[in-house]
Short mmCIF file of all heavy atoms in Angstrom, two decimals:
data_model
loop_
_atom_site.label_atom_id
_atom_site.label_comp_id
_atom_site.label_asym_id
_atom_site.label_seq_id
_atom_site.Cartn_x
_atom_site.Cartn_y
_atom_site.Cartn_z
N VAL A 296 29.46 10.82 15.37
CA VAL A 296 30.66 11.57 14.98
C VAL A 296 31.22 11.01 13.67
O VAL A 296 31.63 11.76 12.78
CB VAL A 296 31.72 11.49 16.09
CG1 VAL A 296 33.02 12.15 15.64
CG2 VAL A 296 31.21 12.17 17.35
N ASP A 297 31.23 9.69 13.55
CA ASP A 297 31.81 9.09 12.35
C ASP A 297 31.08 9.54 11.08
O ASP A 297 31.70 9.70 10.02
CB ASP A 297 31.77 7.57 12.45
CG ASP A 297 32.76 7.04 13.47
OD1 ASP A 297 33.69 7.79 13.82
OD2 ASP A 297 32.60 5.90 13.93
N ARG A 298 29.76 9.72 11.17
CA ARG A 298 29.01 10.15 9.99
C ARG A 298 29.42 11.57 9.58
O ARG A 298 29.50 11.88 8.41
CB ARG A 298 27.51 10.09 10.27
CG ARG A 298 26.97 8.67 10.36
CD ARG A 298 25.47 8.65 10.23
NE ARG A 298 24.96 7.28 10.26
CZ ARG A 298 24.41 6.71 11.31
NH1 ARG A 298 24.28 7.41 12.42
NH2 ARG A 298 23.98 5.47 11.27
N VAL A 299 29.63 12.41 10.59
CA VAL A 299 30.00 13.80 10.29
C VAL A 299 31.40 13.87 9.69
O VAL A 299 31.66 14.70 8.81
CB VAL A 299 29.90 14.64 11.57
CG1 VAL A 299 30.42 16.05 11.32
CG2 VAL A 299 28.46 14.69 12.06
N LEU A 300 32.28 12.99 10.14
CA LEU A 300 33.66 13.03 9.66
C LEU A 300 33.87 12.15 8.43
O LEU A 300 35.00 12.06 7.93
CB LEU A 300 34.61 12.57 10.77
CG LEU A 300 34.54 13.34 12.10
CD1 LEU A 300 35.61 12.83 13.05
CD2 LEU A 300 34.71 14.84 11.87
N ALA A 301 32.82 11.52 7.93
CA ALA A 301 32.97 10.54 6.85
C ALA A 301 33.58 11.13 5.59
O ALA A 301 34.29 10.44 4.85
CB ALA A 301 31.62 9.90 6.54
N GLY A 302 33.33 12.38 5.34
CA GLY A 302 33.83 12.97 4.10
C GLY A 302 35.27 13.44 4.18
O GLY A 302 35.79 14.00 3.21
N MET A 303 35.93 13.24 5.31
CA MET A 303 37.30 13.72 5.47
C MET A 303 38.28 12.57 5.23
O MET A 303 38.00 11.41 5.55
CB MET A 303 37.51 14.26 6.90
CG MET A 303 36.55 15.37 7.30
SD MET A 303 36.79 15.90 9.02
CE MET A 303 38.33 16.82 8.88
N SER A 304 39.43 12.90 4.72
CA SER A 304 40.49 11.90 4.58
C SER A 304 41.11 11.64 5.96
O SER A 304 40.90 12.40 6.91
CB SER A 304 41.57 12.41 3.63
OG SER A 304 42.23 13.53 4.20
N THR A 305 41.89 10.57 6.06
CA THR A 305 42.55 10.26 7.33
C THR A 305 43.45 11.39 7.78
O THR A 305 43.47 11.77 8.95
CB THR A 305 43.37 8.97 7.19
OG1 THR A 305 42.50 7.89 6.83
CG2 THR A 305 44.09 8.63 8.48
N ALA A 306 44.17 11.96 6.84
CA ALA A 306 45.07 13.07 7.18
C ALA A 306 44.28 14.28 7.69
O ALA A 306 44.71 14.96 8.63
CB ALA A 306 45.91 13.46 5.97
N GLN A 307 43.16 14.57 7.07
CA GLN A 307 42.35 15.70 7.51
C GLN A 307 41.79 15.47 8.91
O GLN A 307 41.77 16.38 9.74
CB GLN A 307 41.20 15.93 6.52
CG GLN A 307 41.63 16.50 5.18
CD GLN A 307 40.49 16.53 4.18
OE1 GLN A 307 39.60 15.66 4.19
NE2 GLN A 307 40.50 17.53 3.30
N ARG A 308 41.36 14.25 9.19
CA ARG A 308 40.86 13.94 10.53
C ARG A 308 41.97 14.11 11.57
O ARG A 308 41.76 14.70 12.63
CB ARG A 308 40.33 12.50 10.59
CG ARG A 308 39.06 12.26 9.80
CD ARG A 308 38.51 10.89 10.16
NE ARG A 308 37.40 10.50 9.32
CZ ARG A 308 36.53 9.56 9.62
NH1 ARG A 308 36.65 8.91 10.77
NH2 ARG A 308 35.54 9.25 8.81
N GLN A 309 43.11 13.57 11.26
CA GLN A 309 44.22 13.66 12.20
C GLN A 309 44.62 15.11 12.43
O GLN A 309 44.91 15.52 13.57
CB GLN A 309 45.42 12.86 11.69
CG GLN A 309 45.20 11.36 11.73
CD GLN A 309 46.43 10.59 11.27
OE1 GLN A 309 47.28 11.13 10.54
NE2 GLN A 309 46.53 9.33 11.67
#
Side-chain angles (χ1 to χ4, degrees):
V296 175
D297 289 341
R298 289 197 177 101
V299 174
L300 304 184
M303 304 177 74
S304 66
T305 300
Q307 289 172 327
R308 291 191 188 199
Q309 290 182 338

